[in-house]
Amino acid sequence: MKRSKIRNLLEVDAPEEIVLIKGWIKTKRDSKGFSFIEVNDGSCLKNMQIIADKSLENYEDLNSLSTGAAVSVMGHLAKSQGKGQKWEIHAHRIDIIGIADHSYPLQKKRHSDEFLRTIAHLRPRTNKYGALFRIRSELSYVIHEFFRNKGFVYIHSPIITALDCEGAGELFKITTLDLKDVRQKNGEIDYTNDFFGRGANLTVSGQLSAEMFALALGDVYTFGPTFRAENSNTRRHAAEFWMVEPEMSFCDLKADMDLAEEMLKYLTAHIMEKCRDDIGLFAEFVDKNLISTLENIIESNYIRLSYEKAVHILKQSESKFEYKLNFGEDLKSEHEQYITEHHFKKPVFIYDYPKDIKPFYMRLNDDGKTVAAMDLLVPRIGEIIGGSQREERLDVLESRMDEIGLSKKNYWWYLESRMFGSVPHSGFGLGFERLLMLLTGITNIRDVIPFPRTPNSIEF
Ligand code: 4AD
Ligand code: MG
């Protein structure tokens, strides 16, 4: 007999049929002559209530079942007498698949996120994390749907690269050299005997690859893991995170911001509709303002503000910032929060940043001082998207690289793309985990990643 998912069973109209489910016990209550067993199979937030009558052949054996145990239940789906569920299963047969040791830590009570992080291998079995990881899955799906509907081509950019796209030096180096044999040449590590014959690292962004493909296929995107050895133990930085990076040819910064706004609205609306129950849990237990925050994301017109004006607003503000921002410096998290959450109370694009605080590939504006960069800030998170129009003019790009001291030799192929049919093009990177934090109200990035990697944390 074919196994049914609880999610599907809860939607059926006609209950009079025999069904088979498999899952884990949430609770078991024994009554006179029968037991109520709540089973969850991970397909949805709701449990299926099972009525186990003492006439069951192995009724005595069911005493060994406790929270966390795995069972297979065959029985008929019937209208439930109890509150809170439409159907229940009157068991004809219950097979014990795996008992749970009495040390099972997820007994029916609420646990702190900090504690659950220490049992990351078990936390997806809680209601909250089950809901979170179903939303994560649906969000991945709808990202592909959004771009596919618009005719974007999905590119698999490499995870191992030789370049530092962002130029911030936050690289995880990878090597097959035995570290005790590492030799130095002129004060630098000699990688000539290493696997690739030169230094290699985990990618910080798929952008440079995406640009090459946008210059061939028009509109493309990458969606994959990226790695940054930022030693900042914050609530919104992980060492391994996923990024969605669209890249469009014949596209300027304004159209880039238009796409970012349209995408964020589309993804948010989809999740609110398709993950109603799971989002409902977060709105009830994690962030009481979640629904209005998300409606604001979907319905508002996002502000577009130059860096210069943003700094002006910050300087004018009465608020006492821990760090007083000077013109020319990058906004800190407290400044981002102020602009989006307190001042405008909605998403804000800040564009045209000073060139010195942005990477080499961003297009120089006519003022010679700023670049066509944009960051999208959203309430509660701060920066969720970073993007730019790219420098398509070979001579300007080369002098910018010279200025920064980047080796043009290493970037020869990137530079060559500006020699053969170079066009204005733009793109951005959306932090996938930051979007999940926005959608669920979860405040720590460690709690939206199955097995998070952060400084001093790689247990699982
Ligand atoms: O602003 P970033 O550094 O932009 C880029 O990497 C560009 N190459 C993207 C592009 O134009 N194709 O990163 C993009 C986004 C940030 O806005 C943030 O949401 C997220 O990636 N992000 C991180 N998320 C989690 N942990 C980290 N350590 C992150 N660093 C960046
Ligand atoms: Mg950024």
Side-chain angles (χ1 to χ4, degrees), residues 150-184:
K150 289 187 147 309
F152 280 59
V153 179
Y154 177 35
I155 306 298
H156 295 123
S157 50
I159 285 172
I160 302 175
T161 59
L163 299 178
D164 177 2
C165 170
E166 295 303 295
E170 295 157 340
L171 302 174
F172 285 105
K173 299 205 167 83
I174 59 168
T175 178
T176 51
L177 290 175
D178 192 334
L179 291 183
K180 67 183 188 315
D181 298 335
V182 167
R183 264 191 283 279
Q184 304 240 332

Side-chain angles (χ1 to χ4, degrees), residues 92-157:
H92 295 176
R93 182 184 169 137
I94 299 180
D95 291 310
I96 301 170
I97 310 279
I99 57 165
D101 190 83
H102 66 272
S103 60
Y104 187 60
L106 296 173
Q107 303 301 334
K108 204 178 163 69
K109 69 168 189 133
R110 277 176 81 181
H111 301 281
S112 72
D113 292 329
E114 289 74 15
F115 169 69
L116 291 172
R117 256 172 244 153
T118 68
I119 51 166
H121 59 307
L122 296 175
R123 71 178 177 170
R125 299 187 188 198
T126 62
N127 288 346
K128 178 170 165 182
Y129 287 90
L132 189 273
F133 291 112
R134 278 188 297 271
I135 293 172
R136 190 174 166 118
S137 166
E138 187 65 26
L139 186 60
S140 309
Y141 161 80
V142 69
I143 282 165
H144 290 296
E145 178 185 272
F146 175 79
F147 286 112
R148 189 169 184 274
N149 288 346
K150 289 187 147 309
F152 280 59
V153 179
Y154 177 35
I155 306 298
H156 295 123
S157 50

Side-chain angles (χ1 to χ4, degrees), residues 7-115:
R7 180 196 175 103
N8 299 335
L9 289 182
L10 291 175
E11 280 165 11
V12 300
D13 297 324
E16 298 302 329
E17 57 174 320
I18 303 292
V19 296
L20 172 69
I21 63 160
K22 298 186 182 189
W24 294 267
I25 294 179
K26 285 280 180 166
T27 57
K28 180 167 176 282
R29 272 186 302 127
D30 297 323
S31 224
K32 228 185 157 79
F34 63 95
S35 304
F36 288 112
I37 307 174
E38 295 271 330
V39 173
N40 188 278
D41 67 359
S43 63
C44 62
L45 194 58
K46 294 202 175 84
N47 302 326
M48 181 62 83
Q49 175 161 280
I50 313 294
I51 313 288
D53 192 85
K54 75 166 187 300
S55 62
L56 284 173
E57 201 176 286
N58 60 344
Y59 189 72
E60 292 303 312
D61 299 343
L62 302 186
N63 283 331
S64 66
L65 291 178
S66 56
T67 302
V71 289
S72 162
V73 179
M74 211 238 310
H76 84 265
L77 198 62
K79 209 169 179 59
S80 176
Q81 306 299 317
K83 289 199 297 266
Q85 69 261 330
K86 192 166 150 201
W87 310 125
E88 60 193 18
I89 294 177
H90 295 181
H92 295 176
R93 182 184 169 137
I94 299 180
D95 291 310
I96 301 170
I97 310 279
I99 57 165
D101 190 83
H102 66 272
S103 60
Y104 187 60
L106 296 173
Q107 303 301 334
K108 204 178 163 69
K109 69 168 189 133
R110 277 176 81 181
H111 301 281
S112 72
D113 292 329
E114 289 74 15
F115 169 69

Side-chain angles (χ1 to χ4, degrees), residues 102-368:
H102 66 272
S103 60
Y104 187 60
L106 296 173
Q107 303 301 334
K108 204 178 163 69
K109 69 168 189 133
R110 277 176 81 181
H111 301 281
S112 72
D113 292 329
E114 289 74 15
F115 169 69
L116 291 172
R117 256 172 244 153
T118 68
I119 51 166
H121 59 307
L122 296 175
R123 71 178 177 170
R125 299 187 188 198
T126 62
N127 288 346
K128 178 170 165 182
Y129 287 90
L132 189 273
F133 291 112
R134 278 188 297 271
I135 293 172
R136 190 174 166 118
S137 166
E138 187 65 26
L139 186 60
S140 309
Y141 161 80
V142 69
I143 282 165
H144 290 296
E145 178 185 272
F146 175 79
F147 286 112
R148 189 169 184 274
N149 288 346
K150 289 187 147 309
F152 280 59
V153 179
Y154 177 35
I155 306 298
H156 295 123
S157 50
I159 285 172
I160 302 175
T161 59
L163 299 178
D164 177 2
C165 170
E166 295 303 295
E170 295 157 340
L171 302 174
F172 285 105
K173 299 205 167 83
I174 59 168
T175 178
T176 51
L177 290 175
D178 192 334
L179 291 183
K180 67 183 188 315
D181 298 335
V182 167
R183 264 191 283 279
Q184 304 240 332
K185 204 158 84 183
N186 311 327
E188 302 219 337
I189 292 172
D190 179 9
Y191 289 108
T192 43
N193 294 323
D194 202 353
F195 189 90
F196 297 107
R198 59 184 286 193
N201 47 265
L202 296 177
T203 190
V204 295
S205 159
Q207 180 195 321
L208 303 187
S209 310
E211 279 187 57
M212 300 305 107
F213 278 75
L215 292 168
L217 302 175
D219 295 334
V220 304
Y221 70 105
T222 69
F223 179 23
T226 49
F227 308 85
R228 293 192 189 178
E230 259 167 313
N231 204 355
S232 52
N233 236 319
T234 78
R235 290 166 167 273
R236 37 175 228 163
H237 289 91
E240 177 175 336
F241 63 100
W242 281 55
M243 223 201 294
V244 182
E245 295 183 273
E247 189 72 35
M248 294 161 288
S249 284
F250 311 104
C251 174
D252 63 10
L253 189 68
K254 181 182 171 299
D256 199 31
M257 291 192 270
D258 290 343
L259 181 79
E261 181 167 343
E262 184 188 345
M263 178 191 75
L264 192 58
K265 289 177 170 171
Y266 185 94
L267 302 182
T268 306
H270 177 98
I271 292 297
M272 282 186 84
E273 191 200 321
K274 295 285 186 216
C275 303
R276 210 174 286 268
D277 282 0
D278 288 332
I279 288 289
L281 177 148
F282 291 98
E284 189 176 348
F285 297 111
V286 176
D287 177 2
K288 295 275 185 229
N289 299 320
L290 183 63
I291 301 298
S292 60
T293 302
L294 299 186
E295 280 167 354
N296 182 252
I297 298 290
I298 297 170
E299 285 157 18
S300 60
N301 286 321
Y302 300 3
I303 301 287
R304 299 185 182 194
L305 185 75
S306 68
Y307 167 88
E308 193 177 342
K309 291 212 175 99
V311 174
H312 188 70
I313 290 174
L314 291 167
K315 290 223 176 272
Q316 296 272 300
S317 101
E318 301 285 296
S319 291
K320 305 257 176 297
F321 295 116
E322 213 164 285
Y323 184 85
K324 293 251 179 311
L325 188 73
N326 295 306
F327 194 88
E329 293 173 340
D330 210 355
L331 275 62
K332 299 219 185 300
S333 158
E334 55 174 336
H335 307 119
E336 293 175 355
Q337 301 282 343
Y338 177 82
I339 295 263
T340 176
E341 203 160 317
H342 301 289
H343 192 82
F344 290 107
K345 302 185 169 54
K346 56 166 146 171
V348 180
F349 285 105
I350 299 185
Y351 62 89
D352 287 353
Y353 282 80
K355 64 175 182 174
D356 295 331
I357 56 171
K358 289 293 180 186
F360 77 98
Y361 54 71
M362 295 189 176
R363 191 177 196 278
L364 191 65
N365 288 324
D366 292 343
D367 61 11

